[in-house]
Tab-separated table of all heavy atoms in Angstrom:
chain	number	residue	atom	x	y	z
S	30	ASN	N	61.804	104.427	97.435
S	30	ASN	CA	62.733	104.616	98.492
S	30	ASN	C	64.094	104.918	97.943
S	30	ASN	O	64.933	105.617	98.676
S	30	ASN	CB	62.904	103.338	99.340
S	30	ASN	CG	61.655	102.988	100.119
S	30	ASN	OD1	60.885	103.957	100.498
S	30	ASN	ND2	61.406	101.686	100.235
S	31	ASN	N	64.433	104.576	96.743
S	31	ASN	CA	65.770	104.571	96.198
S	31	ASN	C	65.664	104.799	94.757
S	31	ASN	O	64.775	104.313	94.051
S	31	ASN	CB	66.436	103.295	96.569
S	31	ASN	CG	67.754	103.160	95.950
S	31	ASN	OD1	68.451	104.150	95.499
S	31	ASN	ND2	68.303	101.936	95.891
S	33	GLN	N	68.671	104.953	91.504
S	33	GLN	CA	70.096	104.940	91.031
S	33	GLN	C	70.194	105.079	89.568
S	33	GLN	O	69.354	104.579	88.811
S	33	GLN	CB	70.724	103.557	91.491
S	33	GLN	CG	70.896	103.356	93.012
S	33	GLN	CD	71.616	102.137	93.379
S	33	GLN	OE1	71.083	101.270	94.146
S	33	GLN	NE2	72.843	101.964	92.924
S	35	PHE	N	72.875	104.143	86.446
S	35	PHE	CA	74.014	103.311	86.109
S	35	PHE	C	74.423	103.604	84.605
S	35	PHE	O	73.627	103.945	83.790
S	35	PHE	CB	73.653	101.803	86.153
S	35	PHE	CG	73.308	101.337	87.498
S	35	PHE	CD1	71.967	101.382	87.941
S	35	PHE	CD2	74.215	100.793	88.330
S	35	PHE	CE1	71.556	100.865	89.184
S	35	PHE	CE2	73.863	100.315	89.676
S	35	PHE	CZ	72.549	100.340	89.989
S	37	GLN	N	76.131	101.322	81.630
S	37	GLN	CA	76.616	100.055	81.246
S	37	GLN	C	77.592	100.242	80.029
S	37	GLN	O	77.151	100.775	78.990
S	37	GLN	CB	75.541	99.117	80.795
S	37	GLN	CG	75.945	97.731	80.600
S	37	GLN	CD	74.833	96.789	80.443
S	37	GLN	OE1	73.833	96.998	79.780
S	37	GLN	NE2	74.886	95.527	81.022
S	39	PRO	N	80.436	99.245	77.033
S	39	PRO	CA	80.352	98.305	75.952
S	39	PRO	C	80.737	96.872	76.344
S	39	PRO	O	80.345	95.927	75.603
S	39	PRO	CB	81.260	98.863	74.870
S	39	PRO	CG	81.264	100.347	75.093
S	39	PRO	CD	81.221	100.511	76.656
S	40	TRP	N	81.414	96.579	77.427
S	40	TRP	CA	81.725	95.294	77.797
S	40	TRP	C	80.694	94.740	78.783
S	40	TRP	O	80.889	93.643	79.271
S	40	TRP	CB	83.148	95.358	78.552
S	40	TRP	CG	84.199	95.711	77.556
S	40	TRP	CD1	84.904	94.960	76.724
S	40	TRP	CD2	84.568	97.113	77.255
S	40	TRP	NE1	85.831	95.712	75.971
S	40	TRP	CE2	85.595	97.054	76.248
S	40	TRP	CE3	84.204	98.345	77.766
S	40	TRP	CZ2	86.175	98.193	75.751
S	40	TRP	CZ3	84.822	99.497	77.205
S	40	TRP	CH2	85.840	99.433	76.251
S	41	GLY	N	79.645	95.517	79.073
S	41	GLY	CA	78.468	94.979	79.835
S	41	GLY	C	78.651	95.314	81.309
S	41	GLY	O	77.648	94.969	82.041
S	42	GLN	N	79.689	95.923	81.788
S	42	GLN	CA	79.849	96.228	83.160
S	42	GLN	C	78.933	97.396	83.526
S	42	GLN	O	78.869	98.470	82.875
S	42	GLN	CB	81.282	96.597	83.498
S	42	GLN	CG	81.518	97.110	84.902
S	42	GLN	CD	81.493	96.021	85.934
S	42	GLN	OE1	82.229	94.996	85.818
S	42	GLN	NE2	80.663	96.112	86.951
S	43	LEU	N	78.201	97.236	84.644
S	43	LEU	CA	77.325	98.241	85.152
S	43	LEU	C	78.057	99.164	86.197
S	43	LEU	O	78.594	98.657	87.183
S	43	LEU	CB	76.107	97.702	85.889
S	43	LEU	CG	74.899	97.357	84.999
S	43	LEU	CD1	73.891	96.600	85.840
S	43	LEU	CD2	74.254	98.587	84.420
S	45	ASN	N	78.185	102.307	88.782
S	45	ASN	CA	77.243	103.176	89.579
S	45	ASN	C	77.617	104.589	89.310
S	45	ASN	O	78.804	105.042	89.425
S	45	ASN	CB	77.472	102.908	91.063
S	45	ASN	CG	76.840	101.545	91.408
S	45	ASN	OD1	76.991	100.555	90.828
S	45	ASN	ND2	76.067	101.523	92.556
S	47	PHE	N	75.025	107.409	90.268
S	47	PHE	CA	74.506	108.135	91.367
S	47	PHE	C	73.483	107.311	92.140
S	47	PHE	O	72.724	106.554	91.530
S	47	PHE	CB	73.773	109.384	90.865
S	47	PHE	CG	74.655	110.486	90.280
S	47	PHE	CD1	74.681	110.574	88.920
S	47	PHE	CD2	75.343	111.260	91.083
S	47	PHE	CE1	75.509	111.518	88.367
S	47	PHE	CE2	76.139	112.317	90.495
S	47	PHE	CZ	76.222	112.369	89.171
S	48	TYR	N	73.579	107.419	93.462
S	48	TYR	CA	72.474	106.997	94.326
S	48	TYR	C	71.760	108.311	94.737
S	48	TYR	O	72.309	109.098	95.491
S	48	TYR	CB	73.050	106.275	95.533
S	48	TYR	CG	72.057	105.997	96.627
S	48	TYR	CD1	71.111	104.970	96.560
S	48	TYR	CD2	72.027	106.798	97.802
S	48	TYR	CE1	70.215	104.731	97.593
S	48	TYR	CE2	71.153	106.543	98.864
S	48	TYR	CZ	70.254	105.506	98.682
S	48	TYR	OH	69.329	105.253	99.742
S	86	PHE	N	71.091	103.476	82.515
S	86	PHE	CA	69.905	102.933	83.149
S	86	PHE	C	69.534	103.686	84.345
S	86	PHE	O	70.443	104.014	85.209
S	86	PHE	CB	70.156	101.424	83.533
S	86	PHE	CG	70.125	100.454	82.370
S	86	PHE	CD1	71.330	99.892	81.994
S	86	PHE	CD2	68.953	100.197	81.737
S	86	PHE	CE1	71.364	98.991	80.937
S	86	PHE	CE2	68.958	99.251	80.690
S	86	PHE	CZ	70.212	98.631	80.259
S	90	GLU	N	63.732	101.622	93.519
S	90	GLU	CA	63.188	100.634	94.537
S	90	GLU	C	61.903	101.192	95.038
S	90	GLU	O	61.833	102.134	95.775
S	90	GLU	CB	64.277	100.563	95.634
S	90	GLU	CG	63.736	99.629	96.817
S	90	GLU	CD	64.478	99.885	98.134
S	90	GLU	OE1	65.645	100.392	98.058
S	90	GLU	OE2	63.952	99.602	99.170
S	95	GLY	N	61.738	95.914	99.498
S	95	GLY	CA	62.814	95.063	100.093
S	95	GLY	C	64.117	95.182	99.271
S	95	GLY	O	64.779	94.182	99.029
S	96	ASN	N	64.474	96.408	98.878
S	96	ASN	CA	65.761	96.716	98.215
S	96	ASN	C	65.769	96.166	96.773
S	96	ASN	O	66.873	96.329	96.138
S	96	ASN	CB	66.944	96.098	99.017
S	96	ASN	CG	67.118	96.717	100.370
S	96	ASN	OD1	66.976	96.000	101.318
S	96	ASN	ND2	67.367	97.947	100.432
S	97	MET	N	64.736	95.663	96.278
S	97	MET	CA	64.773	95.093	94.903
S	97	MET	C	64.554	96.279	93.940
S	97	MET	O	63.683	97.118	94.131
S	97	MET	CB	63.752	94.094	94.714
S	97	MET	CG	63.989	92.807	95.492
S	97	MET	SD	62.733	91.591	95.349
S	97	MET	CE	61.369	92.260	96.214
S	98	LEU	N	65.482	96.319	92.889
S	98	LEU	CA	65.334	97.429	91.936
S	98	LEU	C	64.572	96.983	90.666
S	98	LEU	O	64.671	95.858	90.210
S	98	LEU	CB	66.792	97.786	91.440
S	98	LEU	CG	67.670	98.491	92.556
S	98	LEU	CD1	69.003	98.658	91.899
S	98	LEU	CD2	67.083	99.714	93.043
S	99	THR	N	63.776	97.993	90.183
S	99	THR	CA	63.125	97.830	88.873
S	99	THR	C	63.813	98.822	87.929
S	99	THR	O	63.951	100.028	88.197
S	99	THR	CB	61.622	98.237	88.962
S	99	THR	OG1	60.969	97.332	89.879
S	99	THR	CG2	61.003	98.130	87.686
S	100	PHE	N	64.280	98.248	86.763
S	100	PHE	CA	65.037	99.062	85.861
S	100	PHE	C	64.202	99.652	84.813
S	100	PHE	O	63.181	99.021	84.303
S	100	PHE	CB	66.114	98.167	85.123
S	100	PHE	CG	67.332	97.990	86.017
S	100	PHE	CD1	67.348	97.187	87.117
S	100	PHE	CD2	68.535	98.708	85.693
S	100	PHE	CE1	68.452	97.000	87.857
S	100	PHE	CE2	69.650	98.519	86.452
S	100	PHE	CZ	69.591	97.702	87.548
S	101	GLY	N	64.513	100.856	84.273
S	101	GLY	CA	64.010	101.410	83.108
S	101	GLY	C	64.566	100.718	81.826
S	101	GLY	O	65.470	99.884	81.983
S	102	GLY	N	64.048	101.066	80.688
S	102	GLY	CA	64.483	100.467	79.448
S	102	GLY	C	65.836	100.911	79.021
S	102	GLY	O	66.424	100.325	78.124
S	103	GLY	N	66.328	101.989	79.599
S	103	GLY	CA	67.673	102.504	79.203
S	103	GLY	C	67.704	103.481	78.096
S	103	GLY	O	66.708	103.616	77.339
S	105	ARG	N	70.348	104.469	75.104
S	105	ARG	CA	71.499	104.091	74.467
S	105	ARG	C	72.238	105.330	73.826
S	105	ARG	O	71.651	105.968	72.956
S	105	ARG	CB	71.259	103.060	73.291
S	105	ARG	CG	72.479	102.407	72.703
S	105	ARG	CD	72.093	101.297	71.741
S	105	ARG	NE	71.256	100.280	72.417
S	105	ARG	CZ	71.807	99.245	73.034
S	105	ARG	NH1	73.054	99.091	73.054
S	105	ARG	NH2	70.992	98.376	73.657
M	31	MET	N	72.114	91.382	101.663
M	31	MET	CA	71.254	91.231	100.498
M	31	MET	C	72.112	90.900	99.269
M	31	MET	O	73.034	91.628	98.951
M	31	MET	CB	70.407	92.498	100.206
M	31	MET	CG	69.642	92.981	101.475
M	31	MET	SD	68.287	91.998	101.930
M	31	MET	CE	67.166	92.169	100.511
M	33	PHE	N	71.367	89.612	95.076
M	33	PHE	CA	70.356	89.444	94.061
M	33	PHE	C	70.939	88.808	92.815
M	33	PHE	O	72.079	89.022	92.513
M	33	PHE	CB	69.678	90.715	93.764
M	33	PHE	CG	69.080	91.436	94.983
M	33	PHE	CD1	69.830	92.459	95.557
M	33	PHE	CD2	67.774	91.170	95.361
M	33	PHE	CE1	69.344	93.153	96.626
M	33	PHE	CE2	67.302	91.901	96.449
M	33	PHE	CZ	68.057	92.887	97.111
M	35	TYR	N	70.188	88.884	88.569
M	35	TYR	CA	69.385	89.540	87.401
M	35	TYR	C	69.731	88.883	86.185
M	35	TYR	O	70.844	88.277	86.020
M	35	TYR	CB	69.756	91.059	87.340
M	35	TYR	CG	69.258	91.890	88.471
M	35	TYR	CD1	69.926	91.985	89.698
M	35	TYR	CD2	68.119	92.792	88.253
M	35	TYR	CE1	69.420	92.777	90.729
M	35	TYR	CE2	67.661	93.549	89.282
M	35	TYR	CZ	68.331	93.593	90.458
M	35	TYR	OH	67.832	94.401	91.476
M	37	GLN	N	69.841	89.804	81.924
M	37	GLN	CA	69.711	90.869	80.862
M	37	GLN	C	69.730	90.172	79.539
M	37	GLN	O	70.776	89.734	79.045
M	37	GLN	CB	70.850	91.857	81.036
M	37	GLN	CG	70.635	93.026	80.011
M	37	GLN	CD	71.759	94.112	80.119
M	37	GLN	OE1	72.862	93.775	80.568
M	37	GLN	NE2	71.444	95.278	79.662
M	40	GLY	N	70.012	93.131	74.085
M	40	GLY	CA	69.353	94.325	73.782
M	40	GLY	C	68.261	94.857	74.744
M	40	GLY	O	67.623	95.835	74.459
M	41	GLN	N	68.149	94.171	75.876
M	41	GLN	CA	67.077	94.489	76.898
M	41	GLN	C	67.581	95.098	78.142
M	41	GLN	O	68.849	95.147	78.399
M	41	GLN	CB	66.290	93.286	77.157
M	41	GLN	CG	65.697	92.610	75.953
M	41	GLN	CD	64.621	93.406	75.308
M	41	GLN	OE1	63.765	94.014	75.883
M	41	GLN	NE2	64.769	93.553	73.915
M	42	SER	N	66.679	95.496	78.946
M	42	SER	CA	67.081	95.954	80.289
M	42	SER	C	67.235	94.748	81.360
M	42	SER	O	67.166	93.630	80.862
M	42	SER	CB	65.973	96.895	80.839
M	42	SER	OG	66.364	97.461	82.052
M	43	LEU	N	67.579	95.084	82.516
M	43	LEU	CA	67.745	94.047	83.559
M	43	LEU	C	66.487	93.692	84.202
M	43	LEU	O	65.586	94.547	84.509
M	43	LEU	CB	68.731	94.536	84.630
M	43	LEU	CG	70.182	94.519	84.265
M	43	LEU	CD1	70.627	95.636	83.354
M	43	LEU	CD2	71.044	94.529	85.554
M	44	THR	N	66.311	92.388	84.479
M	44	THR	CA	65.125	91.845	85.142
M	44	THR	C	65.532	91.010	86.338
M	44	THR	O	66.427	90.197	86.219
M	44	THR	CB	64.331	90.897	84.200
M	44	THR	OG1	63.818	91.697	83.050
M	44	THR	CG2	62.995	90.413	84.881
M	45	LEU	N	64.982	91.299	87.472
M	45	LEU	CA	65.316	90.526	88.690
M	45	LEU	C	64.806	89.076	88.626
M	45	LEU	O	63.635	88.878	88.347
M	45	LEU	CB	64.746	91.220	89.954
M	45	LEU	CG	64.988	90.589	91.252
M	45	LEU	CD1	66.493	90.611	91.612
M	45	LEU	CD2	64.188	91.217	92.350
M	48	THR	N	65.938	86.913	94.906
M	48	THR	CA	66.767	87.320	96.015
M	48	THR	C	67.409	86.091	96.631
M	48	THR	O	66.618	85.093	96.928
M	48	THR	CB	65.885	88.063	97.107
M	48	THR	OG1	65.300	89.141	96.497
M	48	THR	CG2	66.791	88.520	98.227
M	58	GLU	N	61.085	85.908	91.628
M	58	GLU	CA	60.195	86.841	91.068
M	58	GLU	C	59.229	86.102	90.096
M	58	GLU	O	59.525	85.026	89.633
M	58	GLU	CB	60.890	88.000	90.301
M	58	GLU	CG	61.748	88.833	91.180
M	58	GLU	CD	60.958	89.482	92.306
M	58	GLU	OE1	59.955	90.231	91.991
M	58	GLU	OE2	61.203	89.183	93.527
M	90	ILE	N	72.935	87.872	79.656
M	90	ILE	CA	74.050	88.206	80.655
M	90	ILE	C	73.362	88.045	81.995
M	90	ILE	O	72.266	88.517	82.207
M	90	ILE	CB	74.555	89.631	80.486
M	90	ILE	CG1	75.184	89.922	79.174
M	90	ILE	CG2	75.538	89.987	81.595
M	90	ILE	CD1	75.564	91.351	78.853
M	92	LEU	N	73.782	88.630	86.055
M	92	LEU	CA	74.522	89.457	86.961
M	92	LEU	C	74.058	89.277	88.359
M	92	LEU	O	72.850	89.167	88.693
M	92	LEU	CB	74.289	90.981	86.579
M	92	LEU	CG	74.684	91.476	85.189
M	92	LEU	CD1	73.497	91.526	84.351
M	92	LEU	CD2	75.452	92.759	85.240
M	96	ILE	N	73.766	94.786	98.198
M	96	ILE	CA	73.541	96.061	98.754
M	96	ILE	C	74.757	96.388	99.713
M	96	ILE	O	75.133	95.591	100.532
M	96	ILE	CB	72.276	96.029	99.678
M	96	ILE	CG1	71.106	95.698	98.857
M	96	ILE	CG2	72.088	97.374	100.353
M	96	ILE	CD1	70.702	96.770	97.830
M	99	VAL	N	74.820	102.805	102.329
M	99	VAL	CA	73.489	103.230	102.863
M	99	VAL	C	72.444	102.333	102.303
M	99	VAL	O	71.767	101.756	103.145
M	99	VAL	CB	73.221	104.720	102.436
M	99	VAL	CG1	71.867	105.142	102.931
M	99	VAL	CG2	74.291	105.623	102.978
M	100	ASN	N	72.252	102.266	101.078
M	100	ASN	CA	71.190	101.412	100.446
M	100	ASN	C	71.496	101.276	99.062
M	100	ASN	O	70.519	101.034	98.230
M	100	ASN	CB	69.837	102.076	100.663
M	100	ASN	CG	68.653	101.106	100.387
M	100	ASN	OD1	68.811	99.920	100.453
M	100	ASN	ND2	67.549	101.670	99.934
M	101	GLU	N	72.756	101.350	98.619
M	101	GLU	CA	73.100	101.388	97.223
M	101	GLU	C	73.422	99.967	96.766
M	101	GLU	O	74.117	99.179	97.477
M	101	GLU	CB	74.387	102.274	97.079
M	101	GLU	CG	74.647	102.673	95.631
M	101	GLU	CD	75.735	103.687	95.559
M	101	GLU	OE1	76.183	104.227	96.529
M	101	GLU	OE2	76.168	103.991	94.389
M	102	GLN	N	72.969	99.692	95.581
M	102	GLN	CA	73.171	98.352	94.955
M	102	GLN	C	74.320	98.369	93.916
M	102	GLN	O	74.408	99.310	93.229
M	102	GLN	CB	71.908	97.931	94.247
M	102	GLN	CG	71.860	96.436	93.956
M	102	GLN	CD	70.401	95.879	93.836
M	102	GLN	OE1	70.162	95.029	93.025
M	102	GLN	NE2	69.425	96.426	94.519
M	103	PHE	N	75.227	97.388	94.087
M	103	PHE	CA	76.427	97.298	93.289
M	103	PHE	C	76.341	95.920	92.500
M	103	PHE	O	75.935	94.953	93.106
M	103	PHE	CB	77.678	97.332	94.093
M	103	PHE	CG	77.923	98.708	94.728
M	103	PHE	CD1	77.386	98.928	96.012
M	103	PHE	CD2	78.678	99.659	94.123
M	103	PHE	CE1	77.532	100.206	96.543
M	103	PHE	CE2	78.868	100.862	94.716
M	103	PHE	CZ	78.252	101.160	95.960
M	104	PHE	N	76.842	95.944	91.253
M	104	PHE	CA	76.750	94.787	90.416
M	104	PHE	C	78.067	94.143	90.103
M	104	PHE	O	79.078	94.864	89.984
M	104	PHE	CB	75.985	95.217	89.135
M	104	PHE	CG	74.553	95.396	89.202
M	104	PHE	CD1	74.086	96.528	89.736
M	104	PHE	CD2	73.650	94.397	88.893
M	104	PHE	CE1	72.641	96.662	89.973
M	104	PHE	CE2	72.324	94.506	89.093
M	104	PHE	CZ	71.793	95.680	89.618
M	105	GLY	N	78.019	92.861	89.965
M	105	GLY	CA	79.216	92.097	89.532
M	105	GLY	C	79.415	92.385	87.980
M	105	GLY	O	78.546	93.001	87.315
M	106	PRO	N	80.488	91.893	87.411
M	106	PRO	CA	80.825	92.196	85.990
M	106	PRO	C	79.905	91.379	85.037
M	106	PRO	O	79.962	91.624	83.785
M	106	PRO	CB	82.278	91.686	85.877
M	106	PRO	CG	82.380	90.742	86.982
M	106	PRO	CD	81.543	91.134	88.066
M	107	GLY	N	79.135	90.396	85.549
M	107	GLY	CA	78.192	89.668	84.714
M	107	GLY	C	78.839	88.407	84.078
M	107	GLY	O	80.108	88.285	83.956
M	109	ARG	N	78.368	86.255	80.598
M	109	ARG	CA	77.740	86.279	79.288
M	109	ARG	C	77.467	84.872	78.817
M	109	ARG	O	78.459	84.144	78.513
M	109	ARG	CB	78.505	87.156	78.260
M	109	ARG	CG	77.829	87.438	76.993
M	109	ARG	CD	78.758	88.337	76.155
M	109	ARG	NE	78.976	89.553	76.710
M	109	ARG	CZ	78.330	90.734	76.496
M	109	ARG	NH1	77.266	90.609	75.685
M	109	ARG	NH2	78.717	91.805	77.083
Side-chain angles (χ1 to χ4, degrees):
Chain S
N30 291 329
N31 173 16
Q33 293 183 236
F35 297 91
Q37 188 170 40
W40 296 271
Q42 175 74 55
L43 274 172
N45 289 46
F47 294 102
Y48 168 78
F86 287 107
E90 176 198 337
N96 299 116
M97 293 180 288
L98 293 178
T99 298
F100 278 74
R105 188 174 301 274
Chain M
M31 307 292 291
F33 305 94
Y35 288 80
Q37 186 178 24
Q41 303 296 312
S42 185
L43 280 77
T44 301
L45 180 66
T48 303
E58 296 303 299
I90 300 174
L92 302 101
I96 301 291
V99 176
N100 191 28
E101 192 171 354
Q102 197 157 144
F103 293 87
F104 285 79
R109 192 178 296 268

